[in-house]
Amino acid sequence: MAPFESKTQTFVFLLTENYSLMSYACAVEPLRLANWATGQELYRWRLSADGGEFAECSNGQRTLVDMGFEEIGRDEVLLICSGTHVKNATTRNLLHYIRREARRGIAIGGLCNATYIMARAGLLEGKRCTIHWDNRDSFLEDFPDIDLSHTIYTIDGNRYTSAGGSASADLMLKLISDRHGPELANRVADQMIYTTIRSDRDEQRLSIPTRIGVRHPKLANVIRMMEENIEEPVSPSLLAADVGMSTRQLERLFRRYLNRSPKRYYMELRLQKAKNLLMQTDMTVINVALACGFTSPSHFSKCYRAHFSTTPYRERGTQAVV
């Protein structure tokens, strides 16, 4: 392969408390493999963390880092890697550092839940971004005006976001392709046993038929409508009418394929969203109830206890997972 003309590019991976090891590994390995595949040092990387000593990821493993919150080169890229408990990791010191680097014109990206940190720092105003689907609801409660997509990664100017996990690899393969061409990106993907490089148009989640293990178009359409109407639930009769079925036929369809009634399935979707909001936001229990289609706090509490064997108030007191 002919020598590449571009000078070496450096990435600084800022590892926050409880960062996702998978998101970080999937981002740094394509860089290493690009160097290996070409026999050239196309990329360098350094690790950063508050304090400049080490960072502990969500599985408890500690990673030694190269630097603290120091000024980086103007041509370097800062990638923030976060994970669980992202709100606790969003310290004043971290936000000050990110804002300072942003004012210097540094390209900044967020892997996994680091999108939250970028939004809190004010880096995503007028930008399109993404975040892991499990944190989508809580993110929108905190930042309702930010353009949040369902895709695995986004690139908007010099702001990058990735939904985390293996999506970090897709983002890096795109950056490699943009800088050095698709042939190199494909060679790197081949080394990773990565059979398909996804684009910024690919959705994060599996399709509804794949998720539920049933390929029935009318059932999938009803579930999609349920997922899109959590705050103001739609009655089973209207859901059935929208797909050209009777309520009785819809009941039989759910019983046959999902072993529960449409009403029960819908309730489980609403309660799962309620749990996410309780664990990931500072919303009051009453506001969580309203956001999930419950007009009565007592009814919400009763349904929550029946499904999760605890009350919303006790759930709020447990350790959050965001």
mmCIF file of all heavy atoms in Angstrom, residues 97-122:
data_model
loop_
_atom_site.group_PDB
_atom_site.id
_atom_site.type_symbol
_atom_site.label_atom_id
_atom_site.label_comp_id
_atom_site.label_asym_id
_atom_site.label_seq_id
_atom_site.Cartn_x
_atom_site.Cartn_y
_atom_site.Cartn_z
ATOM 1 N N TYR A 97 -13.161 22.014 31.971
ATOM 2 C CA TYR A 97 -12.115 21.594 31.040
ATOM 3 C C TYR A 97 -12.661 21.457 29.616
ATOM 4 O O TYR A 97 -12.061 21.941 28.651
ATOM 5 C CB TYR A 97 -11.525 20.263 31.511
ATOM 6 C CG TYR A 97 -10.546 19.644 30.544
ATOM 7 C CD1 TYR A 97 -9.353 20.283 30.228
ATOM 8 C CD2 TYR A 97 -10.814 18.417 29.944
ATOM 9 C CE1 TYR A 97 -8.448 19.722 29.338
ATOM 10 C CE2 TYR A 97 -9.925 17.849 29.052
ATOM 11 C CZ TYR A 97 -8.744 18.507 28.751
ATOM 12 O OH TYR A 97 -7.860 17.946 27.868
ATOM 13 N N ILE A 98 -13.801 20.808 29.485
ATOM 14 C CA ILE A 98 -14.380 20.586 28.158
ATOM 15 C C ILE A 98 -14.744 21.917 27.499
ATOM 16 O O ILE A 98 -14.487 22.139 26.306
ATOM 17 C CB ILE A 98 -15.609 19.665 28.253
ATOM 18 C CG1 ILE A 98 -15.203 18.279 28.738
ATOM 19 C CG2 ILE A 98 -16.312 19.565 26.908
ATOM 20 C CD1 ILE A 98 -16.389 17.417 29.118
ATOM 21 N N ARG A 99 -15.353 22.803 28.270
ATOM 22 C CA ARG A 99 -15.718 24.109 27.713
ATOM 23 C C ARG A 99 -14.492 24.894 27.276
ATOM 24 O O ARG A 99 -14.496 25.562 26.237
ATOM 25 C CB ARG A 99 -16.516 24.898 28.751
ATOM 26 C CG ARG A 99 -17.929 24.375 28.971
ATOM 27 C CD ARG A 99 -18.560 24.985 30.192
ATOM 28 N NE ARG A 99 -19.925 24.496 30.394
ATOM 29 C CZ ARG A 99 -20.515 24.412 31.580
ATOM 30 N NH1 ARG A 99 -19.860 24.789 32.682
ATOM 31 N NH2 ARG A 99 -21.751 23.949 31.683
ATOM 32 N N ARG A 100 -13.430 24.801 28.068
ATOM 33 C CA ARG A 100 -12.201 25.508 27.728
ATOM 34 C C ARG A 100 -11.621 24.995 26.413
ATOM 35 O O ARG A 100 -11.224 25.779 25.541
ATOM 36 C CB ARG A 100 -11.178 25.328 28.851
ATOM 37 C CG ARG A 100 -9.911 26.173 28.678
ATOM 38 C CD ARG A 100 -8.900 25.810 29.747
ATOM 39 N NE ARG A 100 -8.296 24.502 29.478
ATOM 40 C CZ ARG A 100 -7.632 23.793 30.377
ATOM 41 N NH1 ARG A 100 -7.537 24.231 31.630
ATOM 42 N NH2 ARG A 100 -7.090 22.627 30.045
ATOM 43 N N GLU A 101 -11.601 23.665 26.249
ATOM 44 C CA GLU A 101 -11.075 23.102 25.007
ATOM 45 C C GLU A 101 -11.983 23.416 23.825
ATOM 46 O O GLU A 101 -11.510 23.651 22.704
ATOM 47 C CB GLU A 101 -10.904 21.579 25.168
ATOM 48 C CG GLU A 101 -9.848 21.169 26.187
ATOM 49 C CD GLU A 101 -8.490 21.752 25.868
ATOM 50 O OE1 GLU A 101 -7.848 21.297 24.911
ATOM 51 O OE2 GLU A 101 -8.062 22.695 26.572
ATOM 52 N N ALA A 102 -13.286 23.437 24.054
ATOM 53 C CA ALA A 102 -14.221 23.775 22.975
ATOM 54 C C ALA A 102 -14.008 25.203 22.494
ATOM 55 O O ALA A 102 -14.072 25.482 21.286
ATOM 56 C CB ALA A 102 -15.651 23.581 23.458
ATOM 57 N N ARG A 103 -13.742 26.124 23.425
ATOM 58 C CA ARG A 103 -13.498 27.522 23.035
ATOM 59 C C ARG A 103 -12.240 27.654 22.192
ATOM 60 O O ARG A 103 -12.114 28.585 21.393
ATOM 61 C CB ARG A 103 -13.392 28.399 24.293
ATOM 62 C CG ARG A 103 -14.719 28.657 24.984
ATOM 63 C CD ARG A 103 -14.594 29.776 25.999
ATOM 64 N NE ARG A 103 -13.700 29.423 27.092
ATOM 65 C CZ ARG A 103 -14.096 28.847 28.226
ATOM 66 N NH1 ARG A 103 -15.384 28.548 28.412
ATOM 67 N NH2 ARG A 103 -13.214 28.587 29.185
ATOM 68 N N ARG A 104 -11.325 26.701 22.341
ATOM 69 C CA ARG A 104 -10.096 26.712 21.551
ATOM 70 C C ARG A 104 -10.302 26.101 20.164
ATOM 71 O O ARG A 104 -9.370 26.041 19.363
ATOM 72 C CB ARG A 104 -8.993 25.952 22.288
ATOM 73 C CG ARG A 104 -8.593 26.586 23.621
ATOM 74 C CD ARG A 104 -7.515 25.773 24.333
ATOM 75 N NE ARG A 104 -6.361 25.585 23.480
ATOM 76 C CZ ARG A 104 -5.880 24.386 23.118
ATOM 77 N NH1 ARG A 104 -6.468 23.263 23.537
ATOM 78 N NH2 ARG A 104 -4.827 24.297 22.345
ATOM 79 N N GLY A 105 -11.515 25.626 19.890
ATOM 80 C CA GLY A 105 -11.819 25.064 18.583
ATOM 81 C C GLY A 105 -11.488 23.599 18.437
ATOM 82 O O GLY A 105 -11.437 23.077 17.313
ATOM 83 N N ILE A 106 -11.267 22.899 19.560
ATOM 84 C CA ILE A 106 -10.925 21.476 19.513
ATOM 85 C C ILE A 106 -12.132 20.647 19.059
ATOM 86 O O ILE A 106 -13.260 20.898 19.472
ATOM 87 C CB ILE A 106 -10.460 20.995 20.906
ATOM 88 C CG1 ILE A 106 -9.227 21.773 21.355
ATOM 89 C CG2 ILE A 106 -10.184 19.498 20.907
ATOM 90 C CD1 ILE A 106 -8.021 21.600 20.474
ATOM 91 N N ALA A 107 -11.887 19.651 18.204
ATOM 92 C CA ALA A 107 -12.928 18.689 17.843
ATOM 93 C C ALA A 107 -13.183 17.790 19.053
ATOM 94 O O ALA A 107 -12.240 17.241 19.631
ATOM 95 C CB ALA A 107 -12.495 17.853 16.644
ATOM 96 N N ILE A 108 -14.451 17.658 19.437
ATOM 97 C CA ILE A 108 -14.796 16.918 20.648
ATOM 98 C C ILE A 108 -15.902 15.910 20.337
ATOM 99 O O ILE A 108 -16.875 16.230 19.642
ATOM 100 C CB ILE A 108 -15.252 17.859 21.771
ATOM 101 C CG1 ILE A 108 -14.135 18.858 22.120
ATOM 102 C CG2 ILE A 108 -15.661 17.083 23.017
ATOM 103 C CD1 ILE A 108 -14.509 19.886 23.170
ATOM 104 N N GLY A 109 -15.740 14.700 20.861
ATOM 105 C CA GLY A 109 -16.749 13.665 20.681
ATOM 106 C C GLY A 109 -17.112 13.021 21.997
ATOM 107 O O GLY A 109 -16.374 13.118 22.994
ATOM 108 N N GLY A 110 -18.254 12.361 22.015
ATOM 109 C CA GLY A 110 -18.708 11.656 23.210
ATOM 110 C C GLY A 110 -19.088 10.235 22.869
ATOM 111 O O GLY A 110 -19.843 9.999 21.920
ATOM 112 N N LEU A 111 -18.552 9.284 23.626
ATOM 113 C CA LEU A 111 -18.876 7.879 23.429
ATOM 114 C C LEU A 111 -19.826 7.426 24.527
ATOM 115 O O LEU A 111 -19.648 7.759 25.699
ATOM 116 C CB LEU A 111 -17.603 7.024 23.452
ATOM 117 C CG LEU A 111 -16.457 7.453 22.529
ATOM 118 C CD1 LEU A 111 -15.269 6.503 22.680
ATOM 119 C CD2 LEU A 111 -16.926 7.506 21.081
ATOM 120 N N CYS A 112 -20.830 6.652 24.138
ATOM 121 C CA CYS A 112 -21.829 6.139 25.078
ATOM 122 C C CYS A 112 -22.570 7.317 25.725
ATOM 123 O O CYS A 112 -23.006 8.223 25.036
ATOM 124 C CB CYS A 112 -21.171 5.225 26.104
ATOM 125 S SG CYS A 112 -22.350 4.154 26.994
ATOM 126 N N ASN A 113 -22.671 7.348 27.042
ATOM 127 C CA ASN A 113 -23.457 8.383 27.703
ATOM 128 C C ASN A 113 -22.733 9.720 27.828
ATOM 129 O O ASN A 113 -23.255 10.649 28.445
ATOM 130 C CB ASN A 113 -23.883 7.898 29.102
ATOM 131 C CG ASN A 113 -24.886 6.779 29.014
ATOM 132 O OD1 ASN A 113 -25.628 6.678 28.047
ATOM 133 N ND2 ASN A 113 -24.917 5.919 30.017
ATOM 134 N N ALA A 114 -21.532 9.828 27.266
ATOM 135 C CA ALA A 114 -20.821 11.102 27.302
ATOM 136 C C ALA A 114 -21.548 12.186 26.524
ATOM 137 O O ALA A 114 -21.238 13.371 26.668
ATOM 138 C CB ALA A 114 -19.399 10.932 26.769
ATOM 139 N N THR A 115 -22.526 11.810 25.719
ATOM 140 C CA THR A 115 -23.366 12.807 25.060
ATOM 141 C C THR A 115 -24.013 13.709 26.104
ATOM 142 O O THR A 115 -24.172 14.914 25.891
ATOM 143 C CB THR A 115 -24.452 12.116 24.211
ATOM 144 O OG1 THR A 115 -23.831 11.237 23.280
ATOM 145 C CG2 THR A 115 -25.298 13.130 23.454
ATOM 146 N N TYR A 116 -24.382 13.124 27.234
ATOM 147 C CA TYR A 116 -24.970 13.908 28.327
ATOM 148 C C TYR A 116 -23.981 14.974 28.807
ATOM 149 O O TYR A 116 -24.351 16.127 29.029
ATOM 150 C CB TYR A 116 -25.361 12.992 29.486
ATOM 151 C CG TYR A 116 -25.821 13.736 30.714
ATOM 152 C CD1 TYR A 116 -27.159 14.083 30.882
ATOM 153 C CD2 TYR A 116 -24.916 14.120 31.700
ATOM 154 C CE1 TYR A 116 -27.582 14.793 32.000
ATOM 155 C CE2 TYR A 116 -25.328 14.831 32.817
ATOM 156 C CZ TYR A 116 -26.667 15.162 32.968
ATOM 157 O OH TYR A 116 -27.069 15.872 34.070
ATOM 158 N N ILE A 117 -22.719 14.596 28.958
ATOM 159 C CA ILE A 117 -21.696 15.532 29.432
ATOM 160 C C ILE A 117 -21.528 16.669 28.428
ATOM 161 O O ILE A 117 -21.435 17.844 28.803
ATOM 162 C CB ILE A 117 -20.364 14.797 29.650
ATOM 163 C CG1 ILE A 117 -20.531 13.708 30.723
ATOM 164 C CG2 ILE A 117 -19.266 15.767 30.039
ATOM 165 C CD1 ILE A 117 -19.322 12.799 30.877
ATOM 166 N N MET A 118 -21.494 16.324 27.141
ATOM 167 C CA MET A 118 -21.349 17.348 26.111
ATOM 168 C C MET A 118 -22.537 18.303 26.120
ATOM 169 O O MET A 118 -22.380 19.519 25.972
ATOM 170 C CB MET A 118 -21.203 16.691 24.742
ATOM 171 C CG MET A 118 -19.911 15.897 24.567
ATOM 172 S SD MET A 118 -19.818 15.057 22.972
ATOM 173 C CE MET A 118 -19.694 16.446 21.831
ATOM 174 N N ALA A 119 -23.738 17.755 26.317
ATOM 175 C CA ALA A 119 -24.937 18.602 26.364
ATOM 176 C C ALA A 119 -24.901 19.509 27.588
ATOM 177 O O ALA A 119 -25.228 20.700 27.501
ATOM 178 C CB ALA A 119 -26.187 17.732 26.370
ATOM 179 N N ARG A 120 -24.503 18.964 28.715
ATOM 180 C CA ARG A 120 -24.434 19.759 29.942
ATOM 181 C C ARG A 120 -23.400 20.881 29.812
ATOM 182 O O ARG A 120 -23.580 21.968 30.376
ATOM 183 C CB ARG A 120 -24.096 18.852 31.124
ATOM 184 C CG ARG A 120 -24.118 19.523 32.475
ATOM 185 C CD ARG A 120 -25.476 20.087 32.821
ATOM 186 N NE ARG A 120 -26.456 19.058 33.119
ATOM 187 C CZ ARG A 120 -27.759 19.281 33.204
ATOM 188 N NH1 ARG A 120 -28.237 20.492 32.970
ATOM 189 N NH2 ARG A 120 -28.603 18.296 33.489
ATOM 190 N N ALA A 121 -22.371 20.632 29.027
ATOM 191 C CA ALA A 121 -21.340 21.651 28.818
ATOM 192 C C ALA A 121 -21.752 22.685 27.768
ATOM 193 O O ALA A 121 -21.027 23.652 27.540
ATOM 194 C CB ALA A 121 -20.033 20.975 28.397
ATOM 195 N N GLY A 122 -22.899 22.471 27.119
ATOM 196 C CA GLY A 122 -23.370 23.413 26.109
ATOM 197 C C GLY A 122 -22.746 23.232 24.746
ATOM 198 O O GLY A 122 -22.810 24.130 23.905
#
